[in-house]
Amino acid sequence: MQELVARVNGVLKEPWNKKVGRPKACGLYRAVEIACMYLRHNGTQEFLGDLRGISQPTVSRIVTILVPLVKRVLEEFVPDVREAITMVQGWVCLVDGTITPCWSYDDQPELWSRKKGTTGFNAQLVSLLDGEAVFISDPLPGKTHDAAAFMETSVAEIVKSSGGGIGDKGYQGCAGTATPRKTPPGGELSKMDKKCNAELSALRAPIERLVAHFKSWRIFHIDYRRPYRTYRDAYDAARGLFFFSIIWGFE
């Protein structure tokens, strides 16, 4: 937290606590802590305010000001495409997608995911066979199928540069990716196909754990409640904190 606060302090346009005027309800360290609690637990502003003895409007101002700054100072910890390609060269990688839910904004019908039965954003994750996080994509509209997201994000390029990819049935037809066989209409899978599917499922266990780890940051797991225009900053800030926590070894 001290490292993060120092980074945020370095990009403030003016001192957090000025020597003139009304002092802020809490110092910078405490404010950054509140912003991180919001991203980690996706608690309501009233609840966060009660925890820290401040008002809901104060929490709202803290989140509005500091979340974009947290995003900015942690961008360097989020692997870009070139870094991801370097990490996967010569290695088999795992691919999976997940929906990060949000409110049903009236003017954003493309967020509806028919498969998941909720509104949200599609995020694509790539890991190595040991579960090491390699890449997490920018968010796409929830209606985007995993195979389409594979092509629209940089995941296809990453898999192409790897020793091969493994995905679930949603990635069938994606170049360079091994996927389970689907049961044919009116038929059934052979014993060999069932055995292959079981082996692929076992190999995919690490990416499932990575998705669960990613969504333990509750901002990705339960409905995002703030205005639609603020979502990308919150997503990027939480993604930055996710990788920052891995690199610095804390949760």
Side-chain angles (χ1 to χ4, degrees), residues 14-18 21-28 31 58 62 65:
E14 56 186 23
W16 182 256
N17 278 318
K18 301 177 183 178
R22 183 179 180 182
K24 285 186 167 58
C26 55
L28 180 60
T58 299
I62 287 172
I65 294 170

Side-chain angles (χ1 to χ4, degrees), residues 81-187:
V81 179
R82 289 180 296 177
E83 292 170 327
I85 288 175
T86 300
M87 292 176 67
V88 301
Q89 283 182 347
W91 298 94
V92 173
C93 62
L94 306 173
V95 182
D96 201 3
T98 188
I99 292 293
T100 60
C102 67
W103 274 356
S104 300
Y105 301 105
D106 290 339
D107 55 345
Q108 304 294 333
E110 74 280 2
L111 298 181
W112 173 255
S113 170
R114 187 174 63 177
K115 177 181 177 181
K116 298 296 184 180
T118 187
T119 48
F121 297 83
N122 183 313
Q124 297 290 300
L125 292 83
V126 181
S127 79
L128 298 179
L129 285 175
D130 62 359
E132 180 181 358
V134 171
F135 182 78
I136 297 177
S137 73
D138 293 339
L140 294 172
K143 72 173 185 179
T144 311
H145 189 275
D146 280 341
F150 180 90
M151 299 303 299
E152 291 182 25
T153 63
S154 301
V155 174
E157 184 180 356
I158 294 169
V159 171
K160 182 180 178 181
S161 303
S162 72
I166 298 175
D168 60 19
K169 294 178 182 179
Y171 294 93
Q172 286 192 334
C174 296
T177 304
T179 59
R181 289 176 178 263
K182 290 183 178 180
T183 303

